[in-house]
Amino acid sequence: MSLVTYSDSDDSENDDNTKLRHSNNPTKHLDLKRKRSLDHKQPSDLPPLPDSFHDLYTSTARVSTRDDPSLHSGRQRQIPHVDGQWPTHIYIECTSETNLLTKILADVEAALPQDVRLHSLLKSDLGAGLPLHISLSRTLMLATHQRQSFTDALQIAIEDSGIKPFSVTPDDIRWVANYEKNRWFLVVHVKKPTGDELNKLLKLSNRVAHHYGQPPLYTPPEESSHQVTVHTEHPPAWKRSRPSGVFSRHGKNVANETSNIYKDMSAHFHVSIAWTLEEPPADLLRTFDTKVNFEEASKLKVAVETVKTKVGNGVVVVPMVEKNQAAHECVCEDALVHLKSYKYSSVDKSLISKYILKHYWNGFVELLPLWLAPNMVTLLGFFFILADIILLEIFMPDLVGPASPWLYYSFAFGVWMYSTMDNVDGKQARRTGQSSGLGELFDHGIDSLNCTLASLCETAAMGLGSSPKGVFTALIPCLPMFFSTWETYHTHTLYLGYFNGPTEGLIIACSMMIASGYYGPQIWTQPMTDLIDWPEIFGSASVVDVWIPVIFSTFLFIHLPACVLNVAKARRAKNLPLAPVFMEWLPIIVFTASSTAWLYSPYSTLMRDNRLVLFCLTMSFVFGRMTTKIILAHLTRQPFPMWTIMLFPLIAGAILGNLPRLGLAPVTPSVELWYLRAYFAFALVVYFRWAFLVINSICSYLHINCLTITPKKSPLLNQMPKGKIHANGGAKAQPTANKTEKRIRQKDD
């Protein structure tokens, strides 16, 4: 591994993979190295290092910022070191048959004059194979505050492009000089891929670089022909004057983007395999072609599955679409790595939460034992809802009633306890030191399952039954839940407004359930003027009459615009277009349209035969899978999941319920019922299989438990439960549990 991160030039030939040792006498070491011949290196018997190893250890800490060519085989720094600027390079890493390339390299070296020294990029000093690359950018100089937003913008651009893994094939060998013509590279040119993926990736990289005030790679050469043997790259960014009016002060595009971003640059894509400081003979490769048969090399295919961005000494890996889509089913390591840097972010503007419920939650969490895992707290809250559904099916299966008052009170108690547990699970996680990304996934996953179940209790409390209004009441919570999840995916922050569903919405729902227990559900069909003497405002309308317009208009004109506004701000902050994100509404559009077409069809018997509970139980798993996949993609920084297999039976159900519209005979009620039952079984199995795989993958990767407290990893900590280990090995007494909990409570306040 190199001991000094050395920026040579801003062309595509970033020699980050040259590996040198550092000794007390660099000159002597260099002389010894010159005595080695490339064709005399003995191949190592050790297996090649995995790609992830090279990503973690691309280079070590910089020893010095001074220009010392003796540390770099005579190379001189072309980009001056500036504190606060980070050399950045976008590239495709290539793993190929190094034996063949080594043979070609040895033949080229043998044909070179004695005064031309060739330095290999194929193997390290120890004989280990080194990763090669195809450049997608120059050496870009980013400010410290631009690093994260730059890599995020590039990742989103690649993910939104839908470019799939592809392969590249070698074409021929060439010499390429840097701009100063003080360094020459022996490169393997690659053919244009079938899907033109290299040009597409270059355009994306250039576009992102352009937004940050950085020059694009591969400005078209003055010569129109590509038959020249020596190509000259372009001057470094710091040597080029920036055209006025092209970039704003913050790197945003305020003029038309340069035309080279959109031209075919296939003639420039190559892999560097060696370099030299001495100019090679111009006609060497022309005569060399007659001595070496390049056909064997041209048969190689190099798989391309990721794009990498090296910022300083760190590497960010962006997998292609197919690999990322597989990560949603059973998360791969490339996706799970983001969980280690996970930080929960939320904004709750509710005044009731801030001034009232916060104190209730802080007091309630103290009643929970410290051995109770936070995810178990979440699950216990969901059990209250499941208990309500069981009671509902036993004592009021028609969802109309009236039933005994205690049943309505039990609905209110179950929903309230679910809300309480949902709000204290995070506090319990901080009390027990169990905070992780799995907690957010588990919490929002349970919330998604609950959307169509708690609303069933509200439907029964209002006595709506399996009517069009009852169907609306049972399924409408899915809309705000989906768009809040969609908003969280793009902003990485959960926003709750001054009046939100999890707080004020559940308080209203519980109040209505209590009112139904005290007055009876018929209160909601009576004129509102019986309770509020404002006939000029309410007339003869009842709560049921205005229920759908009020609920739907609140979502359509308040909740949805707020979500879109926050997503638009997040996209603009990263210089990303807003229009593509609206394609991500496809799942909820299909879900809503198919459910509506099926249940409201005059040929369907589900509403008439009171099958709403079974339908909502099925949709609980369908919608739960759909939104939990979005949360998982948010946590692991994966592409937005556009589809779930569970939607196919829903579409088929909508068709099944509308066969007469297609000129076919309607199905019998028993066939439709058994189809729904089969759909429920299918959704149940698919959901829990997927949930088990995801949870097990996350727990294994983070070394945590899901439903139990994860023990401390350090045996010393277990032996000293009342002390805190310091760096010098001493221990300091910790405050008692009550004082610790008090500090946590104050932090929450």
Side-chain angles (χ1 to χ4, degrees):
M1 303 301 170
S2 61
L3 295 179
V4 178
T5 302
Y6 197 85
S7 300
D8 179 56
S9 72
D10 85 322
D11 64 7
S12 65
E13 314 310 326
N14 293 277
D15 187 18
D16 296 326
N17 296 318
T18 302
K19 311 299 180 184
L20 298 176
R21 293 181 182 177
H22 179 60
S23 65
N24 294 329
N25 191 345
T27 305
K28 181 178 180 181
H29 173 74
L30 183 61
D31 292 337
L32 292 174
K33 181 176 172 66
R34 285 181 179 274
K35 294 179 182 179
R36 302 178 187 172
S37 176
L38 291 173
D39 56 349
H40 286 88
K41 281 189 176 181
Q42 297 297 325
S44 173
D45 294 332
L46 297 175
L49 294 172
D51 293 342
S52 57
F53 181 88
H54 295 292
D55 297 340
L56 294 174
Y57 302 97
T58 54
S59 59
T60 55
R62 182 183 286 115
V63 176
S64 173
T65 59
R66 66 187 177 89
D67 187 7
D68 188 355
S70 64
L71 295 175
H72 312 286
S73 301
R75 290 176 292 163
Q76 294 183 350
R77 185 185 299 276
Q78 302 301 324
I79 300 178
H81 171 77
V82 178
D83 289 336
Q85 289 192 348
W86 297 78
T88 301
H89 182 219
I90 307 171
Y91 61 97
I92 294 171
E93 192 169 275
C94 301
T95 304
S96 184
E97 178 57 52
T98 56
N99 291 334
L100 178 60
L101 295 179
T102 301
K103 181 179 181 301
I104 293 175
L105 196 57
D107 292 340
V108 172
E109 187 190 31
L112 287 172
Q114 292 294 328
D115 59 341
V116 179
R117 175 65 178 173
L118 204 58
H119 300 266
S120 173
L121 297 175
L122 299 178
K123 293 184 179 181
S124 68
D125 294 339
L126 300 179
L130 297 176
L132 304 176
H133 68 268
I134 300 174
S135 291
L136 295 176
S137 77
R138 304 168 183 252
T139 297
L140 312 175
M141 303 304 294
L142 297 180
T144 301
H145 69 277
Q146 293 179 321
R147 292 179 299 167
Q148 186 63 49
S149 62
F150 180 88
T151 55
D152 287 347
L154 180 65
Q155 177 177 349
I156 294 175
I158 294 175
E159 292 169 352
D160 289 348
S161 69
I163 299 175
K164 298 181 180 180
F166 60 99
S167 60
V168 294
T169 303
D171 188 9
D172 58 17
I173 54 176
R174 304 177 181 179
W175 289 109
V176 174
N178 63 359
Y179 172 73
E180 292 79 8
K181 291 190 177 180
N182 58 12
R183 195 170 174 217
W184 286 261
F185 295 85
L186 182 66
V187 306
V188 176
H189 179 260
V190 296
K191 296 179 181 178
K192 183 176 181 179
T194 305
D196 200 20
E197 289 88 355
L198 287 176
N199 268 312
K200 293 177 182 178
L201 289 173
L202 178 65
K203 292 172 185 177
L204 293 176
S205 302
N206 282 343
R207 188 175 295 115
V208 174
H210 185 74
H211 280 304
Y212 283 81
Q214 302 290 332
L217 178 64
Y218 297 141
T219 302
E222 296 179 359
E223 299 87 349
S224 59
S225 173
H226 299 300
Q227 301 301 320
V228 293
T229 57
V230 177
H231 301 280
T232 300
E233 302 295 341
H234 301 280
W238 64 273
K239 286 189 177 182
R240 299 180 61 187
S241 59
R242 179 180 296 177
S244 60
V246 176
F247 303 111
S248 72
R249 184 175 181 181
H250 300 287
K252 295 181 180 179
N253 181 15
V254 293
N256 292 331
E257 296 183 356
T258 52
S259 60
N260 64 292
I261 293 179
Y262 303 100
K263 292 189 177 181
D264 187 357
M265 298 296 165
S266 299
H268 297 274
F269 295 115
H270 58 264
V271 178
S272 300
I273 60 175
W275 62 273
T276 179
L277 294 175
E278 298 80 18
E279 182 176 3
D283 60 346
L284 172 65
L285 296 186
R286 291 196 185 99
T287 59
F288 180 72
D289 286 339
T290 63
K291 299 179 181 180
V292 175
N293 187 356
F294 198 74
E295 292 183 0
E296 186 177 357
S298 63
K299 294 178 181 178
L300 296 176
K301 286 190 176 182
V302 180
V304 177
E305 294 183 346
T306 62
V307 174
K308 298 188 176 183
T309 305
K310 181 180 179 184
V311 183
N313 293 337
V315 175
V316 178
V317 182
V318 182
M320 298 291 185
V321 174
E322 288 184 348
K323 188 173 183 179
N324 289 347
Q325 288 178 343
H328 293 305
E329 300 301 327
C330 187
V331 185
C332 63
E333 187 171 345
D334 289 339
L336 290 174
V337 69
H338 296 283
L339 292 175
K340 292 186 175 181
S341 58
Y342 158 81
K343 290 184 178 179
Y344 179 72
S345 175
S346 66
V347 175
D348 188 353
K349 298 181 179 180
S350 171
L351 299 179
I352 295 179
S353 295
K354 183 177 181 179
Y355 295 107
I356 301 176
L357 292 180
K358 177 185 64 176
H359 305 290
Y360 161 70
W361 294 327
N362 288 337
F364 186 91
V365 75
E366 292 186 13
L367 302 177
L368 302 179
L370 292 175
W371 52 260
L372 186 62
N375 288 336
M376 181 58 74
V377 174
T378 309
L379 192 59
L380 289 175
F382 187 57
F383 285 162
F384 283 101
I385 298 297
L386 293 180
D388 280 342
I389 297 300
I390 293 174
L391 294 175
L392 172 66
E393 187 67 14
I394 294 174
F395 296 101
M396 193 168 44
D398 61 353
L399 306 180
V400 177
S404 300
W406 69 265
L407 184 60
Y408 300 104
Y409 297 146
S410 72
F411 292 164
F413 177 75
V415 171
W416 181 256
M417 288 305 299
Y418 166 80
S419 175
T420 299
M421 295 296 192
D422 189 45
N423 282 282
V424 303
D425 53 5
K427 300 178 185 296
Q428 179 73 352
R430 290 188 289 273
R431 289 177 74 218
T432 57
Q434 303 291 304
S435 298
S436 69
L438 178 61
E440 181 177 352
L441 180 68
F442 199 88
D443 183 287
H444 290 279
I446 294 296
D447 289 341
S448 300
L449 291 175
N450 180 59
C451 273
T452 62
L453 300 183
S455 56
L456 271 177
C457 298
E458 181 67 18
T459 301
M462 297 181 67
L464 299 177
S466 294
S467 64
K469 293 179 180 178
V471 171
F472 172 87
T473 304
L475 297 179
I476 188 61
C478 295
L479 291 178
M481 180 65 185
F482 175 88
F483 286 101
S484 291
T485 308
W486 171 74
E487 175 189 36
T488 302
Y489 172 83
H490 288 285
T491 63
H492 299 293
T493 299
L494 174 63
Y495 288 96
L496 297 175
Y498 293 100
F499 188 96
N500 60 76
T503 303
E504 286 77 10
L506 286 180
I507 291 176
I508 293 175
C510 291
S511 300
M512 295 180 69
M513 293 171 187
I514 293 174
S516 294
Y518 188 81
Y519 296 103
Q522 64 274 7
I523 187 178
W524 311 116
T525 57
Q526 294 177 358
M528 287 185 286
T529 53
D530 293 350
L531 298 175
I532 305 175
D533 191 16
W534 287 349
E536 63 278 4
I537 297 178
F538 299 110
S540 60
S542 64
V543 172
V544 171
D545 294 332
V546 300
W547 181 250
I548 293 180
V550 169
I551 298 298
F552 188 72
S553 60
T554 301
F555 160 75
L556 189 61
F557 299 113
I558 299 179
H559 184 85
L560 182 59
C563 293
V564 173
L565 179 62
N566 288 330
V567 171
K569 290 179 179 178
R571 299 282 290 186
R572 281 198 300 266
K574 297 179 180 179
N575 296 314
L576 296 172
L578 179 61
V581 301
F582 294 112
M583 290 295 297
E584 298 165 353
W585 292 8
L586 176 64
I588 193 61
I589 292 175
V590 173
F591 177 86
T592 304
S594 299
S595 300
T596 302
W598 191 357
L599 290 176
Y600 286 93
S601 171
Y603 308 102
S604 173
T605 60
L606 295 184
M607 275 201 295
R608 186 189 67 195
D609 294 345
N610 193 27
R611 307 299 180 184
L612 184 57
V613 173
L614 179 59
F615 186 87
C616 287
L617 285 171
T618 306
M619 293 304 105
S620 174
F621 294 114
V622 176
F623 182 77
R625 169 79 178 273
M626 187 167 64
T627 52
T628 308
K629 286 181 69 175
I630 302 175
I631 291 296
L632 179 60
H634 146 67
L635 293 174
T636 56
R637 303 301 177 98
Q638 301 298 293
F640 189 91
M642 294 293 294
W643 195 255
T644 171
I645 192 174
M646 290 192 186
L647 288 176
F648 285 113
L650 183 59
I651 298 173
I655 296 174
L656 191 69
N658 289 273
L659 288 179
R661 300 182 188 275
L662 303 177
L664 302 174
V667 297
T668 62
S670 61
V671 170
E672 188 175 19
L673 174 59
W674 278 106
Y675 179 84
L676 181 59
R677 289 171 176 170
Y679 188 11
F680 170 75
F682 169 77
L684 179 71
V685 172
V686 171
Y687 181 88
F688 278 107
R689 176 185 176 277
W690 172 79
F692 174 80
L693 291 174
V694 170
I695 293 175
N696 187 60
S697 297
I698 294 176
C699 289
S700 298
Y701 185 80
L702 297 179
H703 304 290
I704 60 176
N705 300 330
C706 179
L707 298 178
T708 58
I709 295 292
T710 303
K712 299 293 184 182
K713 296 181 181 179
S714 172
L716 186 59
L717 288 176
N718 289 334
Q719 296 171 10
M720 303 180 64
K722 296 184 179 180
K724 182 178 181 180
I725 305 303
H726 285 255
N728 58 9
K732 179 180 179 181
Q734 289 183 333
T736 61
N738 290 335
K739 292 183 178 179
T740 303
E741 295 172 19
K742 182 177 181 180
R743 286 207 308 270
I744 294 173
R745 199 163 60 248
Q746 291 173 346
K747 181 180 179 180
D748 293 335
D749 293 346

